[in-house]
Amino acid sequence: MNVENIIYIYLAISLSLIAYNICSALFFHYSKEKAEQKKRKYRELIAEETDRLSRGESLKKENYDYLKTRLAHIREMEAFDSALEEVEDGNNPHIGEFLKEVSEIIVDLMPAYSKSRDAERLTFFLYELKHHRLLENSASPELLDRMEIITRRDSLYMRENALQAIYSSGDAERVVRVFRYMDRNEIKHNSRLLSDGLAGFKGDKDRLIKEFLSCFDRFSAPYRVIILNYMRYASGDYKEEVLAILSDEKQNREVRYSAIRYFGEYRCDKAEPVLIRLASAEQKMHWEYRAIASKALRKYKSKAVLEVLKRNMTDPNWYVRYNSSESLADQGYGYVNMAEVFDSEDKYAIEMLQYRLDQRELREEDEKCQMV
């Protein structure tokens, strides 16, 4: 092949790449403009409907039918989502009423998305349900049944979005049923995601806790920990129930750790002797008992607590000493009360306690300066 032919081939390739880039740029510009037009259309529709709602009128049938038809397509749903976000950021006072009206359309849209083999399409739809809290206004059993089935799929993202949608529905019994199914069938799902998801539950928190407690022993240890973590976040009204769990030595130790943390959040006089006993646990026991109990005791100021915390300042485990020093400082004890520690030969305990007390003094000085 001579040089001229090589040059012609090179030019052809270069021209093809230039043509491809031009076509791509034009297509991108067209797609962007098309998406902007769709978003503008939905923005106008939302403005029109919220204005009607402000006058006490219902959703216009033509707009209802338009949404029902168009939102079955993912590109339309994306444009609708973008328009909704702009309106929500503008603090439209009637957007909640509009979403309530729109949520009724979702029941008819769900089959079109759930039957699709496109996982991305379904995941985005589930995200919409959760993101705009559409199920807060529509507790359709049919729709929630579909959500529940999706939680059994292998896709983590799809399952998480379905769980989020169920949390937003406020259906306590369904949440517990889904958790029991996942636990019983060993469906692997990140425990942090489950804990954070429960924190976003939109229904009656006390009802959800009671539902969990009614079948607490049927859950495996990891799920019991998640339930106790949620209880610690949600309410301090279950001290008796949590104390029974803490006092049960047959419970998994991770479960008992979570129960200890509950009493570190909510003071309970009946729990104090149990916490003292665990903070004084023998060295052969897991050090976590002493460490976590020492931290929980920051809310329990008594002579017995003071003695065990001072004793734990010389514990071989760093975390036990650290948590004990934190609790002693939080309880307001000073150098006089800590004479035994400072007179000891344990330089690590002295340094840690000194650091905690100095921190407290600096904090108190800052608070005084802010008050002046």
Side-chain angles (χ1 to χ4, degrees):
M1 184 179 293
N2 56 37
V3 175
E4 289 184 2
N5 290 337
I6 294 174
I7 292 173
Y8 290 143
I9 292 171
Y10 176 77
L11 287 173
I13 293 172
S14 298
L15 290 171
S16 298
L17 290 172
I18 292 171
Y20 173 79
N21 288 332
I22 292 172
C23 291
S24 297
L26 290 172
F27 178 77
F28 176 77
H29 177 76
Y30 172 78
S31 299
K32 187 176 180 181
E33 183 61 30
K34 194 74 173 176
E36 188 59 38
Q37 289 175 5
K38 291 177 181 178
K39 184 169 72 172
R40 190 159 50 245
K41 166 67 176 175
Y42 285 118
R43 204 162 49 226
E44 292 170 356
L45 185 151
I46 294 168
E48 178 187 353
E49 290 305 328
T50 51
D51 183 57
R52 287 172 60 86
L53 290 167
S54 69
R55 299 196 303 268
E57 300 176 21
S58 59
L59 200 67
K60 188 190 290 186
K61 187 178 185 305
E62 300 92 282
N63 288 337
Y64 183 93
D65 292 339
Y66 180 83
L67 290 173
K68 188 174 180 179
T69 302
R70 303 305 301 172
L71 293 183
H73 307 283
I74 191 167
R75 298 304 172 202
E76 297 286 340
M77 182 67 85
E78 289 174 347
F80 180 66
D81 172 66
S82 183
L84 264 181
E85 286 190 343
E86 289 185 6
V87 176
E88 288 173 334
D89 289 342
N91 297 318
N92 188 315
H94 298 283
I95 191 64
E97 297 174 56
F98 174 72
L99 288 173
K100 184 176 181 179
E101 296 287 337
V102 169
S103 66
E104 297 176 4
I105 300 173
I106 304 301
V107 176
D108 296 322
L109 286 178
M110 185 64 200
Y113 280 90
S114 61
K115 290 179 181 178
S116 171
R117 294 184 179 181
D118 187 349
E120 182 180 349
R121 171 184 163 91
L122 178 56
T123 301
F124 180 77
F125 180 73
L126 296 172
Y127 166 80
E128 283 298 290
L129 295 179
K130 177 259 298 187
H131 183 57
H132 297 294
R133 303 185 296 276
L134 295 173
L135 293 185
E136 286 184 37
N137 304 307
S138 175
S140 163
E142 177 190 353
L143 182 57
L144 292 175
D145 285 345
R146 290 181 180 274
M147 295 292 105
E148 193 171 335
I149 292 170
I150 292 169
T151 62
R152 303 175 184 183
R153 296 198 182 183
D154 293 333
S155 169
L156 172 65
Y157 298 104
M158 194 180 298
R159 186 166 60 248
E160 175 61 17
N161 278 298
L163 283 168
Q164 290 288 341
I166 291 173
Y167 300 143
S168 72
S169 74
D171 189 332
E173 291 85 352
R174 194 175 295 270
V175 170
V176 174
R177 186 164 66 243
V178 168
F179 271 51
R180 286 194 61 194
Y181 180 89
M182 292 174 62
D183 186 24
R184 187 170 60 249
N185 291 275
E186 299 182 350
I187 295 176
K188 302 299 181 183
H189 200 83
N190 186 277
S191 59
R192 181 61 183 272
L193 288 177
L194 291 174
S195 294
D196 290 347
L198 280 179
F201 177 71
K202 300 301 180 183
D204 186 332
K205 291 180 171 57
D206 284 314
R207 185 175 180 181
L208 178 60
I209 291 172
K210 288 174 182 175
E211 287 290 331
F212 273 131
L213 288 175
S214 68
C215 54
F216 186 80
D217 292 336
R218 301 177 193 174
F219 283 101
S220 65
Y223 276 84
R224 293 181 191 183
V225 170
I226 292 169
I227 294 167
L228 286 169
N229 287 343
Y230 175 70
M231 292 172 66
R232 185 169 82 248
Y233 157 80
S235 175
D237 295 335
Y238 297 91
K239 299 183 181 71
E240 293 291 340
E241 291 84 350
V242 178
L243 182 58
I245 294 169
L246 176 59
S247 302
D248 183 1
E249 296 185 359
K250 294 180 181 179
Q251 288 282 359
N252 178 278
R253 59 191 177 95
E254 293 292 339
V255 176
R256 298 184 77 195
Y257 296 159
S258 294
I260 294 172
R261 293 187 180 99
Y262 182 90
F263 292 114
E265 193 70 30
Y266 305 106
R267 178 184 169 83
C268 173
D269 292 336
K270 291 182 180 180
E272 182 176 330
V274 181
L275 295 175
I276 290 174
R277 178 168 55 82
L278 292 172
S280 308
E282 298 177 2
Q283 298 293 331
K284 63 182 180 181
M285 283 188 69
H286 294 282
W287 61 265
E288 289 93 338
Y289 281 113
R290 300 194 304 280
I292 300 171
S294 295
K295 185 170 185 177
L297 284 171
R298 74 187 191 278
K299 286 188 175 290
Y300 302 79
K301 190 172 182 179
S302 67
K303 184 177 180 181
V305 170
L306 174 61
E307 291 304 315
V308 73
L309 290 177
K310 285 196 297 184
R311 185 165 62 250
N312 282 357
M313 284 300 303
T314 60
D315 193 276
N317 186 277
W318 184 88
Y319 292 101
V320 177
R321 298 198 304 273
Y322 183 90
N323 288 346
S324 297
S325 67
E326 185 178 50
S327 293
L328 287 166
D330 286 348
Q331 290 182 353
Y333 290 115
Y335 294 98
V336 175
N337 307 97
M338 297 296 105
E340 294 176 27
V341 177
F342 287 109
D343 289 341
S344 70
E345 297 181 359
D346 191 334
K347 65 176 182 178
Y348 297 110
I350 294 171
E351 288 175 357
M352 188 170 292
L353 186 56
Q354 180 74 58
Y355 171 71
R356 284 295 180 190
L357 295 178
D358 289 346
Q359 268 193 326
R360 191 183 69 195
E361 287 183 359
L362 288 172
R363 188 166 61 248
E364 290 173 350
E365 287 178 8
D366 290 340
E367 290 174 356
K368 289 179 181 178
C369 290
Q370 291 174 3
M371 293 174 65
V372 174

